[in-house]
């Protein structure tokens, strides 16, 4: 049996002016290119869960064209996030019209199962673990069910866990390879549309399994930069330190997403510096405490915001850059937020900055609240779920003010002169902070 696993792999911005700014802003574009070449870890995992006697063909599609030839598969599995789901549905409809059964899965399908079911012979909710092997068996026996529920817990435990098929990436051009060490995040932010939505609690992979996956990926690609496809890697400090000790031995370079509390743990920071970690992405979300009110149910981020600047310095002094992420258009934000973000970045020593617009991804708590309040700009705006397009009525500004402010902020932050200024500032922080530290510890700046 020949199974085609197809990943929707484009990056998207609908707002034409922002898209054209993106073309002319060097830092934004280079980051975009790096990110756009990531593989679909979801489908590499689905492939790994497939019985060994099936033939797997892994495909990535950036643009769906209505006249692209269809391949002769016996079964097709498609994965997409929200922004490209319309294209995924169109492709699924074409395969089905040609008589090829289609299975849809992934984050969006898990959030909008009834919508997705109209375009598929079967859908898989949540993780493929605990569902896909059964589905393939049922398909072969001619009794495919319209819906399967995968696991939301115990995903990394035997017999459900399967190491992703990195061998399927051989010979393909990637700047980075992704590895997942955890699913979920205890912070539970209202807007989050990441793996938290397909788990019932924080799930962590054993260190030995992560190491085996990285080694398997290294066997296929000799000098990759690894990106951990996690939402919050160091939730469990004991696990984190064991992981850092293990990964240091591999001599690789890598990047991950975490929260600001790593700055409170000197031992963790020292291990991080020695582990080959080049950058951590941290959701700072808003430059001021008031802006963070209600972001997460415990106001965890708000409580820490007063120490953001110090925490960024502590992390960066180890030679690890912080990619500081801000969301504009939160309900606490007025048009003053754009200058506030620019000024915070100026004071912070942040080298890399990511600014996105608040986005009510389907079936998130934010989506349900804005819907109740009648503030969503339409029923199905999925192709605008890009993190750069405005899809709701902001509370303290107009849609135009939010769009214009975002454009202005992009211009201020993503230009060659400003990037060079940040680079110089970062080098100074790293140098200045290294002196007192290096006299008492072995920390080195890379
Ligand atoms: C890698 C990545 C990408 C890659 C994706 C490569 C690819 N072809 O898949 C690229 C660079 C292309 C990308 C693009 C975009 N991304 Co992105 N990306 C990620 C990232 C960093 C990791 C995702 C990952 O690998 N997860 C690990 C795998 C194992 O999980 P999974 O995909 O959910 O798969 C499991 C299940 O869902 C299920 N499953 C998934 N697919 C299928 C299919 C079948 C048939 C079955 C049975 C099961 C199944 O089984 C898997 C194993 O359990 C996340 C952030 C993060 N830290 O997670 C953001 C993230 C997924 N991206 C996001 C966004 C917004 C985008 C863009 C819109 C950005 C833009 N402006 O262009 C585009 C959208 C493209 C699209 N297709 O719609 C959001 C998505 C939110 C949402 N619900 O849609 C996230 C969560 C980041 C965020 N800030 O919130 N992204």
């Amino acid at each position: 049996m020949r199974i085609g696993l197809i990943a929707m792999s484009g990056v998207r911005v609908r707002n034409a002016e922002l898209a054209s700014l993106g073309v002319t802003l060097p830092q934004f574009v280079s980051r975009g290119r790096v990110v756009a070449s990531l593989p679909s870890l979801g489908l590499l995992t689905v492939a790994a869960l497939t019985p060994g006697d099936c033939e797997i063909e892994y495909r990535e599609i950036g643009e769906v064209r209505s006249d692209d030839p269809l391949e002769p598969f016996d079964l097709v599995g498609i994965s997409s996030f929200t922004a490209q789901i319309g294209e995924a549905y169109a492709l699924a409809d074409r395969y089905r019209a040609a008589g090829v059964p289609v299975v849809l899965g992934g984050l969006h399908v898990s959030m909008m199962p009834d919508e997705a079911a109209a375009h598929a012979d079967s859908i898989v909710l949540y993780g493929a673990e605990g569902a896909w092997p059964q589905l393939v068996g049922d398909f072969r026996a001619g009794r495919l069910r319209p819906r399967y529920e995968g696991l939301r817990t115990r995903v990394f435990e035997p017999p459900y866990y399967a190491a992703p098929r990195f061998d399927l990436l051989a010979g393909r051009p990637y700047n980075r390879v992704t590895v997942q060490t955890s699913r979920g995040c205890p912070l539970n932010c209202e807007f989050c549309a990441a793996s938290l939505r397909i788990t019932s609690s924080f799930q962590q992979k054993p260190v030995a399994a992560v190491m085996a996956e990285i080694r398997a990926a290294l066997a296929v690609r000799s000098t990759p930069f690894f990106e951990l496809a996690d939402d919050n890697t160091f939730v469990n400090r004991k696990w984190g330190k064991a992981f850092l000790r293990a990964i240091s031995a591999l001599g690789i370079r890598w990047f991950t997403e975490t929260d600001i509390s790593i700055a409170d743990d000197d031992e963790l920071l020292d291990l991080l510096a020695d582990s080959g970690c080049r950058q951590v992405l941290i959701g700072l979300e808003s430059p001021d405490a008031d802006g963070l009110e209600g972001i997460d149910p415990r106001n965890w981020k708000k409580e820490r915001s007063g120490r953001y600047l110090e925490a960024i310095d502590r992390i960066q002094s180890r030679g690890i850059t912080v990619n500081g992420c801000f969301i504009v258009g939160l309900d606490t934000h007025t048009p003053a937020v754009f200058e506030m973000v620019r000024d915070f970045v100026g004071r912070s020593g942040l080298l890399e900055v990511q600014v996105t617009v608040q986005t009510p991804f389907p079936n998130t708590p934010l989506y349900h609240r804005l819907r109740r309040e009648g503030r969503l700009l339409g029923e199905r705006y999925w192709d605008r779920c890009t993190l750069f397009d405005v899809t709701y009525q902001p509370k303290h500004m107009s849609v135009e003010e939010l769009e214009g402010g975002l454009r202005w902020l992009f211009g201020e932050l993503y230009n060659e002169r400003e990037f060079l200024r940040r680079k110089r500032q970062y080098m100074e922080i790293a140098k200045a902070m290294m002196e007192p530290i290096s006299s008492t510890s072995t920390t080195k700046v890379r």
Side-chain angles (χ1 to χ4, degrees):
M1 184 163 81
R2 193 159 179 258
I3 303 180
L5 295 179
I6 305 176
M8 294 292 127
S9 278
V11 283
R12 293 285 180 275
V13 182
R14 299 287 298 176
N15 182 314
E17 276 180 81
L18 268 188
S20 69
L21 261 182
V23 174
T24 53
L25 298 172
Q27 198 198 350
F28 184 64
V29 175
S30 62
R31 166 82 189 143
R33 279 207 200 101
V34 167
V35 169
S37 77
L38 293 173
S40 167
L41 196 57
L43 286 184
L44 299 185
T45 308
V46 172
L49 292 163
T50 308
D53 58 346
C54 295
E55 198 187 324
I56 294 281
E57 298 290 343
Y58 169 70
R59 303 278 182 267
E60 291 173 7
I61 300 193
E63 294 285 339
V64 171
R65 289 189 197 83
S66 56
D67 54 353
D68 273 347
L70 300 177
E71 294 190 67
F73 298 125
D74 299 307
L75 180 68
V76 164
I78 304 179
S79 181
S80 177
F81 304 125
T82 299
Q84 258 186 299
I85 199 70
E87 294 168 59
Y89 291 159
L91 185 65
D93 293 345
R94 285 188 65 212
Y95 268 108
R96 295 180 79 206
V100 181
V102 173
V103 183
L104 292 173
L107 281 176
H108 183 88
V109 172
S110 302
M111 294 298 95
M112 300 300 288
D114 295 339
E115 172 194 286
H119 302 275
D121 295 276
S122 182
I123 57 168
V124 174
L125 275 62
Y126 318 126
E129 297 86 352
W132 182 253
Q134 173 81 43
L135 183 151
V136 174
D138 288 354
F139 176 71
R140 281 174 148 169
R143 49 163 194 257
L144 185 68
R145 285 191 271 128
R147 185 177 295 210
Y148 292 79
E149 280 201 17
L151 294 178
R152 307 182 73 189
T153 180
R154 302 180 60 202
V155 277
F156 301 135
E157 289 175 25
Y160 308 112
Y161 163 78
R165 290 266 317 268
F166 291 107
D167 59 292
L168 293 173
L169 305 182
R172 291 165 181 262
Y174 297 102
N175 296 315
R176 298 181 171 202
V177 175
T178 42
V179 167
Q180 189 177 50
T181 80
S182 59
R183 265 181 223 175
C185 169
L187 296 186
N188 208 0
C189 294
E190 184 190 37
F191 53 78
C192 184
S195 70
L196 162 72
R197 301 286 162 225
I198 58 165
T199 49
S200 51
S201 58
F202 184 71
Q203 309 285 306
Q204 191 131 52
K205 205 174 273 181
V207 171
V210 179
M211 289 307 124
E213 287 188 22
I214 296 177
R215 285 201 185 89
L218 284 168
V220 179
R221 311 194 53 77
S222 54
T223 53
F225 187 105
F226 282 85
E227 175 151 343
L228 302 190
D230 298 344
D231 298 328
N232 195 345
T233 299
F234 298 106
V235 168
N236 177 336
R237 287 291 145 76
K238 196 169 161 223
W239 180 97
K241 289 173 190 176
F243 165 69
L244 292 173
R245 286 192 180 96
I247 201 173
S248 326
L250 298 180
I252 58 169
R253 292 172 297 134
W254 57 283
F255 157 100
T256 197
E257 302 187 18
T258 178
D259 67 53
I260 195 82
S261 71
I262 60 163
D264 304 339
D265 190 329
D266 277 325
E267 189 189 4
L268 187 95
L269 289 182
D270 289 345
L271 287 167
L272 200 59
D274 285 338
S275 71
C277 179
R278 284 296 195 267
Q279 186 174 83
V280 288
L281 182 147
I282 300 182
L284 304 171
E285 324 303 8
S286 191
D288 63 325
D290 291 345
L292 290 164
E293 177 64 40
I295 286 269
D296 60 88
R298 289 180 291 135
N299 267 334
W300 189 95
K301 288 188 175 169
K302 182 180 179 186
E303 270 167 32
R304 272 157 190 81
S305 61
R307 284 180 284 146
Y308 271 180
L309 289 174
E310 183 203 333
I312 292 166
D313 280 354
R314 286 174 64 80
I315 300 168
Q316 296 206 133
S317 71
R318 306 303 209 273
I320 302 155
T321 59
V322 172
N323 189 331
C325 298
F326 297 90
I327 298 178
V328 291
L330 296 170
D331 272 10
T332 45
H333 287 166
T334 68
V337 70
F338 306 107
E339 275 191 26
M340 279 166 61
V341 172
R342 191 222 23 211
D343 295 347
F344 181 95
V345 171
R347 288 198 308 276
S348 70
L350 281 173
L351 181 64
E352 291 217 41
V353 184
Q354 190 176 297
V355 180
T356 56
V357 71
Q358 174 170 254
T359 304
F361 283 96
N363 212 5
T364 54
L366 175 69
Y367 169 85
H368 289 295
R369 181 168 66 78
L370 296 185
R371 200 186 159 133
R372 264 195 323 273
E373 294 171 2
R375 292 168 56 197
L376 296 178
L377 304 179
E379 268 297 306
R380 263 169 77 150
Y381 48 84
W382 309 153
D383 63 337
R384 296 179 64 82
C385 285
T386 61
L387 303 171
F388 300 109
D389 292 282
V390 181
T391 54
Y392 66 102
Q393 178 58 54
K395 196 156 185 178
H396 296 301
M397 56 184 126
S398 66
V399 169
E400 292 70 31
E401 278 174 314
L402 181 49
E403 286 176 344
L406 188 66
R407 265 198 312 275
W408 176 82
L409 193 51
F410 266 42
E412 291 287 302
L413 296 175
Y414 302 127
N415 64 68
E416 202 65 57
R417 200 162 51 99
E418 168 62 11
F419 184 63
L420 286 176
R421 184 196 68 73
R422 293 209 293 270
K423 201 167 174 181
R424 270 198 306 274
Q425 192 180 18
Y426 169 72
M427 297 309 288
E428 273 162 31
I429 293 169
K431 218 164 68 190
M433 301 281 289
M434 187 177 69
E435 283 152 17
I437 291 167
S438 60
S439 59
T440 55
S441 81
T442 56
T443 306
K444 55 178 179 282
V445 172
R446 285 158 201 277

